[in-house]
């Protein structure tokens, strides 16, 4: 079994020109829970001037249902973000450390060194507060400004972030340039550096390699995969970065491969169509257009 983390409410919406109403964001999360998703990246505690789509994080968290077994995560980049996240009652935090200096400066206003130090401080405070901690290494497969990112640099960063005892380490192909060979190399290396720490992957499908990468990650033993209903998403600070792999398209591949997720593909596809209507744009995912493969008569 692999755990799916629904990221449409955060990564899926942060790059959209339309700003979804708070009530619609809450309904998106509710629909995801109804479909069977149990970990949802619900909000982002970042500067609302830089990412206005996420300005109502506290209001969203206040209105969310709290069924047993469901956890809500918030993206955190600094101590101010952590304070907001803890006050809002998140179940887990996701802290991003970018693998290249130029992207890190544009995304978070700091160097890689400063980002790693911020993670260490945030992790200590979050642990004291009893909140689950994921650290995501962004641009692990390539950078829009610096190009190729050596695996050795990423794995050195894995080593550094692992010193702060994360509950999970995620490697992210932020701009969708990775291929399965890179996935194998990074995950094999990360598992050797941080044995016992669950690994998670975050893929974008910019160059149509996202699903192949996800299935390769599964073969390499990852415990969790990020996906976004409808395939919506992208990074406001990464030029030409397209959407995340779509939850329903990933579910199609996993279901037909006999991999249990506990998530209903049809319900996610319906949510994707609903979200597309509210954003006023076509759904990027392919399943809604092609339909599931018909069962044998």
């Amino acid at each position: 079994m692999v755990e799916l983390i629904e990221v449409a409410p955060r990564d899926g919406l942060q790059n959209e020109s339309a700003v979804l109403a708070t009530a619609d964001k809450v309904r998106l999360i509710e629909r995801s829970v109804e479909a069977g998703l149990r970990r949802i990246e619900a909000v982002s505690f970042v500067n609302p001037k830089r990412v206005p789509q996420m300005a109502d994080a506290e209001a969203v968290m206040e209105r969310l249902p709290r069924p047993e077994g469901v956890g809500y995560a918030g993206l955190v980049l600094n101590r101010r973000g952590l304070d907001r996240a803890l006050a809002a009652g998140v179940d887990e935090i996701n802290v991003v450390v970018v693998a290249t200096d130029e992207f890190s400066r544009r995304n978070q206003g700091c160097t890689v060194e400063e980002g790693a130090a911020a993670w260490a401080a945030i992790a200590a405070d979050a642990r004291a507060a009893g909140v689950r901690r994921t650290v995501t290494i962004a641009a692990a497969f390539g950078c829009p400004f610096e190009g190729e990112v050596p695996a050795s640099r990423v794995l050195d960063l894995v080593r550094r972030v692992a010193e702060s005892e994360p509950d999970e380490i995620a490697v992210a192909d932020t701009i969708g340039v990775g291929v399965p060979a890179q996935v194998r190399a990074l995950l094999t290396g990360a598992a050797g550096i941080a044995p016992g720490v669950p690994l998670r992957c975050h893929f974008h499908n910019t160059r149509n390699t996202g699903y192949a990468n996800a299935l390769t990650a599964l073969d390499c033993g990852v415990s969790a995969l990020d996906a976004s209903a409808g395939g919506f998403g992208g990074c406001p600070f990464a030029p030409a970065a397209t959407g995340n792999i779509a939850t329903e398209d990933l579910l199609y591949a996993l279901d037909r491969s006999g991999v249990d997720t506990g998530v209903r593909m049809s319900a996610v596809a319906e949510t994707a169509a609903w979200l597309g209507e509210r954003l006023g744009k076509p759904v990027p995912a392919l399943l809604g257009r092609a339909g599931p493969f018909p069962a044998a008569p």
Side-chain angles (χ1 to χ4, degrees):
M1 183 171 182
V2 65
E3 189 173 36
L4 297 190
I5 293 90
E6 178 57 64
V7 300
R10 197 279 298 177
D11 204 14
L13 298 180
Q14 70 174 4
N15 204 40
E16 294 295 329
S17 57
V19 178
L20 218 60
T22 300
D24 284 335
K25 292 178 182 177
V26 172
R27 184 58 190 141
L28 170 60
I29 294 167
E30 290 174 338
R31 292 182 69 125
S32 298
V33 172
E34 291 163 5
L37 288 143
R38 291 295 174 262
R39 284 180 71 190
I40 299 170
E41 195 162 79
V43 289
S44 177
F45 296 96
V46 296
N47 188 334
K49 293 181 180 179
R50 287 173 62 82
V51 189
Q53 296 87 341
M54 298 287 106
D56 58 349
E58 284 84 356
V60 171
M61 287 298 303
E62 185 178 5
R63 296 171 62 175
L64 289 180
R66 290 288 185 168
E68 185 177 354
V70 172
Y72 299 123
L75 181 73
V76 169
L77 301 181
N78 51 39
R79 178 63 212 217
R80 169 62 180 150
L82 176 63
D83 289 342
R84 291 176 60 196
L86 295 178
V90 300
D91 301 293
E92 57 181 291
I93 59 164
N94 183 10
V95 180
V96 173
V97 179
V98 184
T100 65
D101 281 325
E102 184 60 26
F103 194 2
S104 185
R105 290 190 187 95
R106 297 192 187 214
N107 191 59
Q108 294 166 224
C110 66
T111 64
V112 175
E113 180 70 26
E114 291 165 340
W119 149 250
I122 292 168
D125 291 339
R127 184 187 306 110
V131 173
R132 177 177 175 142
R133 306 165 307 283
T134 293
V135 57
T136 295
I137 299 178
F141 295 82
C143 173
F145 309 108
E146 297 184 25
E148 295 286 349
V149 177
S152 58
R153 183 191 304 176
V154 177
L155 294 177
D156 181 62
L157 201 48
V158 169
R159 185 176 293 103
R160 292 192 59 190
V161 300
E163 293 173 355
S164 299
E165 301 180 356
D167 293 301
E168 182 179 62
I169 296 174
V171 290
D173 186 8
T174 310
I175 59 172
V177 295
V179 297
Q182 287 176 286
V183 175
R184 291 190 194 94
L186 289 183
L187 292 180
T188 300
I193 291 167
V197 179
L199 297 177
R200 166 177 165 186
C201 284
H202 178 100
F203 296 115
H204 288 242
N205 200 41
T206 311
R207 291 161 180 82
N208 284 328
T209 58
Y211 300 99
N213 289 340
L215 294 175
T216 301
L218 188 65
D219 287 341
C220 292
V222 297
S223 59
L225 292 168
D226 288 1
S228 172
F232 291 104
C235 177
F237 308 105
T242 57
N244 299 270
I245 56 174
T247 309
E248 62 268 42
D249 287 354
L250 179 60
L251 279 167
Y252 177 81
L254 295 176
D255 287 353
R256 286 182 60 81
S257 299
V259 178
D260 182 26
T261 62
V263 183
R264 293 186 295 118
M265 179 175 62
S266 59
V268 176
E270 290 168 4
T271 294
W274 173 90
L275 181 57
E277 291 174 358
R278 271 140 188 84
L279 293 173
K281 62 187 299 184
V283 176
L286 295 175
L287 185 71
R289 282 168 272 171
F293 190 73

